[in-house]
Amino acid sequence: MENTTGFDSSDLVVGGRTYRIVDLPALFGERLLQLPVVLRLLLENVVRHTTGATRDQAVAAFSGWLAHGTSDAEIPFQPGRVLMHDTTSTPALVDIAAMRDALAEAGADPEQLNPRLPVDVSVDHSLAVEVSARADAATVNLQHEIRRNAERYRFLRWAATALRDVRIHPPGTGIMHTINLEQLATVFTTEQRDGATWAVPDVMIGTDSHTPMVNGLGVLGWGVGGLEAQMVMFGLPTPLRIPDVIGVRLSGSLPPGTLATDLALTVTQRLRAIGVSGEFVEFYGPGVSTLTAGDRAVVANMAPEYGATTGFFPVDRHTVQYLLDTGRDAAQAAFVEACARRVGLWFDGLAEPRYTRHIDIHLDTVGMHIAGPRRPQDLLSYRQAREALAALNFTPKAAPAMPRHPVGIAAITSCTNTSDPRLLVAAGLLARRARALGLTVPAWVKTSLAPGSPAAATYLERAGLIDDLAAVGFDIVGQGCTTCIGNSGPLPPMIRDGLAAGCIQPVAVLSGNRNFPGRVHPDLELGFLMSPPLVIAFALAGDAERDFGTDPVGTSAAGTPVMLRDLWPTREEIDACLVRAADRTDYVRAFALASLNPLWHAIDAPSGPQFPWDPASTALRRPPFACADERSQLGHYVAQPLLVLGDDVTTDHISPASAIPPDSRVADFLVARGDDRNDLNVFASRRGNWEVMLRAAFHNRTLHNALAPHAPTAHTLHVPSGTVAPIDEVAARYRDEGQPVVLVAGERYGTGSSRDWAAKGQRLLGIRAVLAMSFERIHRSNLVGMGILPLRLPERLVIEPGDRIEIDAPMNTLSPRARVPVKILRQNGDTVALEAIAAVETRLDVRLLQHGGVIPMILHEMLTPR
């Protein structure tokens, strides 16, 4: 067969149609089976998008990786699509609207700035649990959402008409990652190239850290910041070093009583224990075949919690069955199987590929688990909640009218554990037994059920479980992220009063993926992650300080203790209920109906290539950094530390997403501009307004700043004057004085969500470099994207007020992972010299820092004559 493409390609006939494929088995020979499947997907992508010496060098680099299990070689990765949600897409699209203005002001055509890839936006991050435990909760919450966010949604509707290939999925259509699983993911797709139809893997990126959930279907995708997504949208490849790959070998099968949530929490603890930080993770071994695609998606979803870029499961029969179960065409399912087998991407449970490192998990040993009360990796038995809370030694100031650690919020929430019908059916069966025994939830517990899919209501209704869930307070409150991302709504009055009196230390129990202090609600520091049925059990108990091995969940109507084992459904009961509930047409039908949301379609949107900014808006403002005048922050300088922070500073600490406290400076700023102090919405809803987000930077009362340890929230020390003031005011004062500023932190700086405002806020504060022991992957990328130099420290710094930091990072000498001289200039005149490592991974990172960030570089290239 004639090869006109310049690389190893072949024909594949499926269903009577002929497709071209990258012939990986012919290209890489027997060695292909030694490569992790994630690297095979990257290899296919690079071969398809490169030519000549660039392609040859890339293929040789994969051979080098196979020899050593690691590589420093860079490859250009080109995803086929981009997935965003409303609170990451809004700032990205605001940047694009502002960049169009900058182009117009420079005399260029603003419409030349358009995405070159399909962009899907899910409006899922703005639904709040204003009301719950009532039949009309979903309707009322949706009405609140549209009313509060109408201006921002009007902007999104403008973007969908003004920008090519931008598709908005309205409120109510589900959570972005569930939509990806059920509606968008194709596993294999087609593209036109060289006059032929090519069969190619579905590879994508998403502006949310939990994008790897789709890895459960064998689709390669991961989370990036909005800034990196902008580069991809405009046709720039994503350069990355060929990643290290951690293999997780699974054997055996999960024992009775355990669920996918328990495995996900176990994987999180095991991988954090070996220090995973940005590597790709791939699951292999015979145990993989015992997990359904739904099980795998739960585990893959928590990749950011276990520190990984991916949590990949290769394609197999479970993948194909999932496609059929969710209403995909049988021809598409057959196409996927044929392509995966022929291209060398089909799963083999006996294969033992080469990995950088690997661990073994015997599924038979996985028990029922929870995690917390402050980090997802802190794994506990379901019996250890009492022990973990007792260790906090909380002493009430007065006798409380409830337990000292009451369950304040009990939420079945998040794509993580509501996308798999098995988990929701398990919760419904537990609710049914509790209802039959007369158990009820105490008045101080706020309960909610927010499934990731609009199809959930249909299959739970068909299974006869909707009424059982409602009877114990778990009515559906809407389809969106809700409590998992801090949109938990108001706390119950008893909890608010008990907190104010110092009588209680309330706890959130949720089926989400993160439990950082203040994440779920700004007033809740404690939270446990767990499966949906366990959420209901803790809600019924009302007391988080329980050992469910010996303590009852509650007392029946007959006055007898009810233990957890009396309520827990068997695997056979769950299976039988799933058979009754299943109808493969639910998914397409429910999504189509939700897409017709009349409240959404009633929103008027402007038209035209440029967005008409409203100077009185408190939601949308043209950002100052979206211009061609930004300059590089590299150089040789002596800086004041603006903040000195510790370990595990999350993006929730840096740029909160939860409710705006009505007594905060941010609230004062908004109220002065006409907003209602009692209806300020969440920080995430203001990401289109840079003035709000600047003041929101580091607004977290649990954040410890060593420069001013006793300062109010979001305050720091202006060292020369000795004044403690709001962070943005101190930063402005340093700027006026011509004094550069930097930030110092410990391990895992920037862990958590992908939000680019965590980096944008730091750029607006004037921070030129962040010095930390280690960085989480997406936040590191976002810092570079905003022109901020991330420096990895060789040792922990002790910085005292008055110490200054000298950094020598000239623009013309910076290179990936370069050594950067740093000096600590002590207040007493001593000097400590050390070498930091630039956390700069690729040559593109260097270019971004030299231009001052993504936006200046894009504008510079568009305005430079060719």
Side-chain angles (χ1 to χ4, degrees):
M1 180 176 58
E2 183 182 1
N3 183 353
T4 61
T5 59
F7 57 83
D8 291 279
S9 63
S10 300
D11 285 347
L12 172 67
V13 179
V14 184
R17 296 190 62 185
T18 301
Y19 304 91
R20 298 290 287 172
I21 58 167
V22 174
D23 195 337
L24 289 181
L27 174 70
F28 224 66
E30 293 182 359
R31 297 174 302 155
L32 183 67
L33 297 182
Q34 297 175 273
L35 266 186
V37 178
V38 285
L39 295 192
R40 297 178 213 173
L41 282 161
L42 290 178
L43 175 62
E44 190 278 344
N45 188 272
V46 172
V47 168
R48 181 160 38 92
H49 287 105
T50 58
T51 59
T54 302
R55 185 195 64 243
D56 295 341
Q57 290 168 5
V59 173
F62 280 94
S63 296
W65 189 99
L66 196 55
H68 303 287
T70 189
S71 173
D72 287 331
E74 290 182 28
I75 55 172
F77 171 69
Q78 294 196 338
R81 58 189 177 93
V82 178
L83 179 64
M84 311 179 91
H85 60 71
D86 55 299
T87 62
T88 53
S89 68
T90 298
L93 294 171
V94 163
D95 290 350
I96 292 170
M99 290 161 70
R100 279 190 161 193
D101 290 344
L103 290 172
E105 289 162 0
D109 178 7
E111 291 190 82
Q112 67 177 297
L113 189 66
N114 257 305
R116 299 183 185 178
L117 294 177
V119 179
D120 283 278
V121 176
S122 167
V123 184
D124 63 2
H125 268 56
S126 297
L127 179 69
V129 187
E130 296 298 333
V131 300
S132 59
R134 47 190 268 193
D136 64 346
T139 299
V140 173
N141 289 328
L142 179 59
Q143 291 169 344
H144 279 297
E145 177 188 357
I146 296 290
R147 174 185 57 79
R148 282 177 165 171
N149 297 284
E151 184 181 1
R152 191 160 53 90
Y153 291 173
R154 177 175 172 265
F155 171 75
L156 291 178
R157 285 175 60 79
W158 166 82
T161 59
L163 302 174
R164 288 196 303 268
D165 289 327
V166 174
R167 180 171 52 171
I168 312 289
H169 303 290
T173 52
I175 299 174
M176 63 185 294
H177 307 304
T178 312
I179 293 174
N180 203 15
L181 290 171
E182 295 178 359
Q183 309 295 332
L184 304 179
T186 59
V187 187
F188 269 81
T189 186
T190 60
E191 67 179 31
Q192 295 300 310
R193 179 184 291 269
D194 301 324
T197 301
W198 286 73
V200 302
D202 176 13
V203 293
M204 49 85 63
I205 59 167
T207 58
D208 186 272
S209 56
H210 294 102
T211 298
M213 187 170 202
V214 79
N215 294 173
L217 291 186
V219 173
L220 181 58
W222 60 83
V224 300
L227 296 159
E228 188 173 340
Q230 287 176 38
M231 290 193 298
V232 172
M233 287 163 62
F234 297 129
L236 295 172
T238 299
L240 69 153
R241 184 172 64 85
I242 298 179
D244 290 355
V245 184
I246 309 297
V248 179
R249 188 178 190 278
L250 301 180
S251 60
S253 59
L254 290 174
T258 57
L259 296 165
T261 312
D262 303 305
L263 176 57
L265 296 177
T266 300
V267 169
T268 300
Q269 186 273 331
R270 289 288 307 279
L271 290 175
R272 279 294 186 184
I274 66 168
V276 171
S277 180
E279 295 95 333
F280 281 33
V281 164
E282 178 172 302
F283 297 88
Y284 72 109
V288 170
S289 298
T290 69
L291 301 176
T292 67
D295 295 332
R296 298 171 188 180
V298 175
V299 177
N301 177 282
M302 291 194 70
E305 280 66 53
Y306 43 83
T309 297
T310 69
F312 189 80
F313 290 85
V315 178
D316 69 354
R317 62 184 177 85
H318 289 293
T319 310
V320 175
Q321 189 60 51
Y322 181 87
L323 295 175
L324 295 170
D325 290 345
T326 50
R328 267 60 162 230
D329 187 89
Q332 172 66 19
F335 172 70
V336 166
E337 179 167 352
C339 290
R341 289 183 180 276
R342 178 63 184 83
V343 179
L345 300 174
W346 188 261
F347 177 67
D348 178 0
L350 299 179
E352 297 280 342
R354 168 71 184 267
Y355 293 104
T356 309
R357 292 185 288 166
H358 84 278
I359 65 168
D360 289 280
I361 294 179
H362 302 288
L363 297 178
D364 310 76
T365 66
V366 175
M368 287 172 55
H369 287 297
I370 62 176
R374 291 189 172 96
R375 299 190 307 175
Q377 63 262 45
D378 294 332
L379 186 71
L380 302 168
S381 161
Y382 76 101
R383 299 189 55 180
Q384 291 181 297
R386 181 169 68 189
E387 177 184 334
L389 293 173
L392 301 177
N393 295 315
F394 172 71
T395 302
K397 293 182 179 178
M402 63 192 91
R404 65 174 182 169
H405 287 117
V407 175
I409 289 176
I412 299 177
T413 177
S414 173
C415 52
T416 310
N417 290 299
T418 71
S419 298
D420 183 5
R422 183 174 199 87
L423 293 173
L424 292 186
V425 164
L429 289 171
L430 187 143
R432 175 177 290 173
R433 289 187 178 175
R435 180 188 186 189
L437 290 168
L439 299 186
T440 58
V441 173
W444 59 77
V445 183
K446 182 173 185 176
T447 53
S448 63
L449 165 58
S453 172
T458 306
Y459 65 68
L460 288 172
E461 180 72 45
R462 190 178 296 116
L465 298 174
I466 282 285
D467 290 343
D468 295 315
L469 288 160
V472 292
F474 286 86
D475 298 86
I476 291 178
V477 298
Q479 288 79 31
C481 301
T482 62
T483 300
C484 183
I485 50 99
N487 286 348
S488 52
L491 293 172
M494 291 181 69
I495 295 292
R496 290 202 307 266
D497 294 344
L499 271 170
C503 298
I504 58 171
Q505 195 173 32
V507 179
V509 297
L510 66 154
S511 64
N513 43 53
R514 290 182 181 140
N515 53 352
F516 307 134
R519 163 86 177 185
V520 168
H521 190 282
D523 293 332
L524 297 186
E525 295 188 24
L526 305 175
F528 288 111
L529 306 179
M530 60 189 66
S531 66
L534 265 182
V535 170
I536 296 180
F538 273 95
L540 292 165
D543 182 5
E545 205 168 348
R546 289 286 179 98
D547 172 357
F548 279 145
T550 56
D551 298 338
V553 174
T555 303
S556 72
T560 59
V562 177
M563 306 301 291
L564 182 64
R565 59 180 173 269
D566 301 325
L567 301 174
W568 203 259
T570 66
R571 180 176 296 169
E572 293 72 23
E573 289 170 330
I574 297 171
D575 289 340
C577 196
L578 282 169
V579 170
R580 291 194 302 274
D583 184 336
R584 64 187 302 270
T585 66
D586 285 345
Y587 298 89
V588 174
R589 185 172 57 247
F591 184 76
L593 183 61
S595 297
L596 298 175
N597 184 334
L599 295 176
W600 170 263
H601 290 286
I603 298 172
D604 288 330
S607 59
Q610 292 177 254
F611 181 72
W613 305 100
D614 177 1
S617 173
T618 59
L620 300 166
R621 299 296 303 277
R622 180 178 171 180
F625 47 72
C627 66
D629 297 332
E630 290 288 288
R631 295 291 180 264
S632 175
Q633 298 196 116
L634 297 174
H636 185 180
Y637 54 88
V638 176
Q640 290 280 2
L642 184 64
L643 295 162
V644 177
L645 309 174
D647 295 339
D648 296 303
V649 174
T650 73
T651 51
D652 286 283
H653 289 114
I654 304 168
S655 185
S658 57
I660 298 173
D663 58 351
S664 63
R665 281 184 71 244
V666 177
D668 294 342
F669 177 82
L670 291 168
V671 170
R673 283 150 184 80
D675 284 6
D676 181 353
R677 190 177 293 275
N678 296 314
D679 194 21
L680 295 174
N681 211 338
V682 293
F683 284 108
S685 71
R686 307 287 180 165
R687 289 180 186 161
N689 185 336
W690 68 271
E691 291 181 312
V692 175
M693 298 312 295
L694 170 62
R695 289 162 175 79
F698 299 98
H699 195 289
N700 188 299
R701 66 188 183 89
T702 67
L703 190 68
H704 179 79
N705 174 18
L707 288 182
H710 304 296
T713 300
H715 282 58
T716 193
L717 175 68
H718 179 258
V719 172
S721 67
T723 303
V724 172
I727 295 170
D728 60 292
E729 292 183 3
V730 173
R733 190 166 177 181
Y734 279 132
R735 185 182 301 113
D736 292 343
E737 295 166 351
Q739 178 67 65
V741 295
V742 297
L743 184 145
V744 178
E747 297 278 8
R748 296 172 294 278
Y749 183 70
T751 189
S753 298
S754 66
R755 62 194 65 159
D756 52 3
W757 259 107
K760 288 176 175 176
Q762 292 178 78
R763 177 65 189 248
L764 287 175
L765 290 170
I767 292 171
R768 294 180 65 167
V770 175
L771 300 91
M773 297 291 292
S774 63
F775 295 87
E776 288 294 282
R777 176 185 60 86
I778 297 178
H779 187 61
R780 184 212 66 82
S781 174
N782 281 335
L783 289 172
V784 171
M786 286 306 297
I788 299 171
L789 177 63
L791 292 174
R792 192 174 293 116
L793 293 168
E795 59 192 65
R796 194 174 298 275
L797 294 185
V798 177
I799 301 295
E800 301 289 342
D803 294 344
R804 293 177 301 152
I805 299 175
E806 182 179 347
I807 294 173
D808 188 10
M811 188 187 307
N812 58 349
T813 62
L814 186 67
S815 62
R817 297 174 291 283
R819 296 184 180 276
V820 176
V822 174
K823 292 180 181 178
I824 312 303
L825 309 179
R826 299 293 186 190
Q827 186 181 26
N828 63 7
D830 292 345
T831 297
V832 178
L834 54 94
E835 277 193 336
I837 301 296
V840 176
E841 295 298 320
T842 66
R843 291 185 295 273
L844 178 59
D845 282 350
V846 174
R847 286 180 60 206
L848 289 170
L849 289 165
Q850 290 171 340
H851 279 89
V854 168
I855 295 171
M857 189 180 82
I858 291 174
L859 289 173
H860 174 78
E861 295 195 357
M862 297 190 76
L863 292 171
T864 299
R866 298 186 182 279

